[in-house]
Amino acid sequence: MILPAIAAGVGVAVVAVSANPFIVRAQDAAPEAAQSAPQPAAEPPPPDPAAELAAKRDKTRAELEILSKTISLSSDKVSALQQSIADLDKSTQSVRQALIESAARRKALDKQILASEKKLADLGVKEDGIRRSLHERRGLLAEVLAALQRMGRNPPPALLVTPDDALASVRSAILLGAVVPGIRKETDKLAADLASLAALQTASAAEKAGLTATMTDGIEEERRMDLLLAENDKLSRSNAAELEAEKKRSEELAGKATNLEGLVASVESEIASVRDAAAAARQAEENRKLMTDEQRAQAKALADSGVPDKNRIAPAYRFGELKAKLEVPVAGDILRQFGDADGTGHEAMGMTVATNPETVVTAPADGLVVFAGAFRSYGQMIILDTGDGYHLVLSGMETINTRQGKFVFAGEPLAVMGAKRVASATALALETDRPTLYIEFRKDGKPVDSRPWWTAKDTGKARNDS
């Protein structure tokens, strides 16, 4: 009978709530006021982690694009790059090897940037989660502080006085005994959350600093590659009028062809540079078949060492022997695999990879460029004849840095992606504005799944795989 009177005399009550049993609320003495108190609003549904992470990645990527535009090379760095190219042995082999090495460094930097982008997005999602948790507990903390402030206006008196004062002290002790443990628990949680938030902010700052340095290195490598491409173009340039005539002829053939098989057949038979290079490659392949077992073993060992004949005009390997050895031409995220729905009610005939703007595209394997240009709904496209009856199709690029009739080595830069996704039939129903590269492998004119050819680190499920 005494406890209700004590609680009423203090003027506050401890309200037991399943989730927060220590919440202290100021209780109005009038029952009518308590009945008219507004009901708490329904809690919003919890955010979808995948959607939240995707949104954060989009925001992070936009911030990085702005950052990349503010980075520039110093005049000393540009001069040093130009001098390094000037000091390079100006042979076709050395320039080509320098290009392959530059492309490898640039792809490695692109992968680092993508990894940092993902890490920053993940850190950002965790920061948002802590901030959201703190915000949701603002009401709880305010109620606790309000109750304590009300108690502070009438502090408990000393016990060794009148009986009335002793009763007031008991009342306060009962209230504090119920509230203080809960407040301490909430305070410890708050301190832990604030410490986690500070650690996440420190990690984000360190990651951004490292990313800025990586992006600067990437811009430097991009400039080096531009200089090397210009030098390579000088070395490989033949009669300009002849090249222009071939380009116009290939455009005419592309306009008439109705499919890839028809395009390849017409180009290989009617474009002189492609026809001659293909004939030379076939002859080189025939010569290799005439080698002794010992000579073939030596050639294979040389190819395995990573330094095969720099003057070769045929692939160092039969394409069928390269399974699990090829690298994806770009650093990026696989959005769609061979056999997935392509957005038109059909199955995709190739793989689609989302990249960052201006990502370099390299040759997956040695091959002859049989076509380089625009073709129907594919957009800008490169077709490589890699021998063994295989053709590799790459499309979605913005700038092509090779030409038809040229034999390219694995890892050699072929093109550069644009700033946004290029509209094409191979990029339908993709929920992204990022540049996308379409890759299709064809054997004897029929599309085949490219997954068996990629190295273990490049294989994996597409983002929309189950």
Side-chain angles (χ1 to χ4, degrees), residues 40-60:
E43 292 186 2
D48 179 11
E52 189 177 13
L53 182 59
K56 182 61 69 174
R57 281 200 67 181
D58 290 341
K59 181 180 178 181
T60 302

Side-chain angles (χ1 to χ4, degrees), residues 383-419:
I383 302 176
L384 295 179
D385 181 349
T386 56
D388 228 11
Y390 287 90
H391 286 87
L392 273 57
V393 180
L394 307 174
S395 70
M397 303 83 64
E398 181 175 89
T399 305
I400 293 177
N401 293 323
T402 190
R403 58 177 176 79
Q404 54 197 29
K406 183 179 179 182
F407 184 81
V408 296
F409 296 165
E412 189 169 338
L414 301 179
V416 176
M417 303 300 294

Side-chain angles (χ1 to χ4, degrees), residues 328-395:
V328 173
V330 292
D333 300 315
I334 299 174
L335 300 184
R336 187 181 287 163
Q337 291 277 22
F338 179 90
D340 289 346
D342 68 353
T344 65
H346 301 88
E347 292 184 350
M349 295 292 98
M351 181 172 75
T352 303
V353 183
T355 74
N356 280 345
E358 300 179 359
T359 298
V360 65
V361 182
T362 58
D366 293 356
L368 171 67
V369 181
V370 297
F371 183 79
F375 178 62
R376 294 189 174 272
S377 59
Y378 285 84
Q380 292 294 323
M381 186 174 71
I382 294 174
I383 302 176
L384 295 179
D385 181 349
T386 56
D388 228 11
Y390 287 90
H391 286 87
L392 273 57
V393 180
L394 307 174
S395 70

Side-chain angles (χ1 to χ4, degrees), residues 296-309 312 316-317 321-322 325:
R296 271 196 289 270
Q298 290 176 349
K300 189 175 187 302
L302 189 64
D304 285 335
S305 69
V307 286
D309 180 12
R312 65 187 184 277
Y317 277 110
E321 298 175 356
L322 293 177
K325 294 183 179 179

Side-chain angles (χ1 to χ4, degrees), residues 67-109:
L67 175 61
S68 67
K69 295 176 182 178
T70 66
I71 299 174
S72 60
L73 299 179
S74 66
S75 57
D76 291 343
K77 180 64 71 174
V78 173
S79 298
L81 281 173
Q82 293 172 337
Q83 187 60 43
S84 67
I85 302 302
D87 294 340
L88 187 69
D89 174 23
K90 294 303 192 299
S91 65
T92 301
Q93 294 81 8
S94 61
V95 171
R96 177 174 284 185
Q97 184 60 33
L99 269 171
I100 293 173
E101 292 171 355
S102 177
R105 289 192 296 269
R106 192 167 165 187
K107 282 180 72 175
L109 291 169

Side-chain angles (χ1 to χ4, degrees), residues 54 58 335-336 421 427-434 436 463:
D58 290 341
L335 300 184
R336 187 181 287 163
R421 177 163 62 92
L428 293 174
L430 291 175
E431 297 179 359
T432 181
D433 288 330
R434 298 168 66 191
T436 54
R463 198 190 305 175

